[in-house]
Amino acid sequence: MQLLKIEKGKVFTTLYYELTWPIGWEQMLSMINAVIEDDFSKSTIQALEVEKIAGSGLKDVTAALKRANNEIHYSSVAKEEMGTIAISGYSAIMEVSMRIMFYNQTNRCLVQVVRDKAIKKSGKHAYDKYMDSIELLGHIDYTKRQTEH
């Protein structure tokens, strides 16, 4: 994954990443699953949002995720392919609240961090290893699911 640019706002720092290759809906779900299982504890998920077409407005589907005990693949959310999916919560690894967004059939990813301290401390690539790990774990999850079926 490659960092493309950073935009600093008053509250949010937005990081734009390019994934290794374009991903589809099932891979997006696996990326979200990796975030849930490997970083955000089930109690720190703040929101799960989707939108049919990028730019059409995100819809909060957190309740559907909670009904599925935070198992994204078994939630009603997984049944209908969407153009965008975003998860917000507290990152235990990076020790910050963040939102990660994936776009269907693209290699784009956006990360928004609330009151970032890591970039000030470690430089503009402070989130690179974290995002590389999410991408790798997501692809591992996706591959496992494909071989199980």
Side-chain angles (χ1 to χ4, degrees), residues 7-83:
E7 291 178 357
K8 291 217 174 231
K10 289 184 180 184
V11 178
F12 292 103
T13 300
T14 303
L15 300 96
Y16 297 88
Y17 280 95
E18 182 178 78
L19 285 81
T20 305
W21 53 78
I23 58 174
W25 179 242
E26 293 297 324
Q27 292 149 321
M28 291 165 61
L29 293 173
S30 287
M31 301 281 175
I32 296 295
N33 190 57
V35 173
I36 292 169
E37 286 191 353
D38 297 296
D39 186 19
F40 293 10
S41 73
K42 292 181 180 183
S43 62
T44 64
I45 296 170
Q46 296 164 342
L48 181 70
E49 300 167 295
V50 296
E51 64 184 343
K52 193 80 162 161
I53 300 168
S56 65
L58 290 166
K59 175 184 171 191
D60 189 326
V61 293
T62 310
L65 180 65
K66 298 293 183 186
R67 280 193 299 275
N69 196 31
N70 294 318
E71 299 286 339
I72 187 76
H73 294 289
Y74 301 107
S75 72
S76 60
V77 175
K79 293 178 179 151
E80 183 181 1
E81 187 166 345
M82 295 286 168

Side-chain angles (χ1 to χ4, degrees), residues 66-126:
K66 298 293 183 186
R67 280 193 299 275
N69 196 31
N70 294 318
E71 299 286 339
I72 187 76
H73 294 289
Y74 301 107
S75 72
S76 60
V77 175
K79 293 178 179 151
E80 183 181 1
E81 187 166 345
M82 295 286 168
T84 307
I85 191 165
I87 188 162
S88 303
Y90 184 78
S91 168
I93 294 170
M94 298 305 295
E95 298 179 335
V96 69
S97 289
M98 65 170 52
R99 176 191 212 193
I100 303 172
M101 189 177 300
F102 297 98
Y103 303 93
N104 202 347
Q105 302 303 316
T106 74
N107 61 347
R108 302 293 183 199
C109 174
L110 177 144
V111 180
Q112 292 178 305
V113 181
V114 179
R115 293 180 186 86
D116 170 69
K117 294 176 190 158
I119 293 172
K120 288 179 186 174
K121 181 179 177 187
S122 302
K124 68 180 185 178
H125 295 286

Side-chain angles (χ1 to χ4, degrees), residues 142-149:
Y142 173 76
T143 302
K144 280 183 185 176
R145 291 185 181 285
Q146 295 306 303
T147 57
E148 290 172 358
H149 294 107

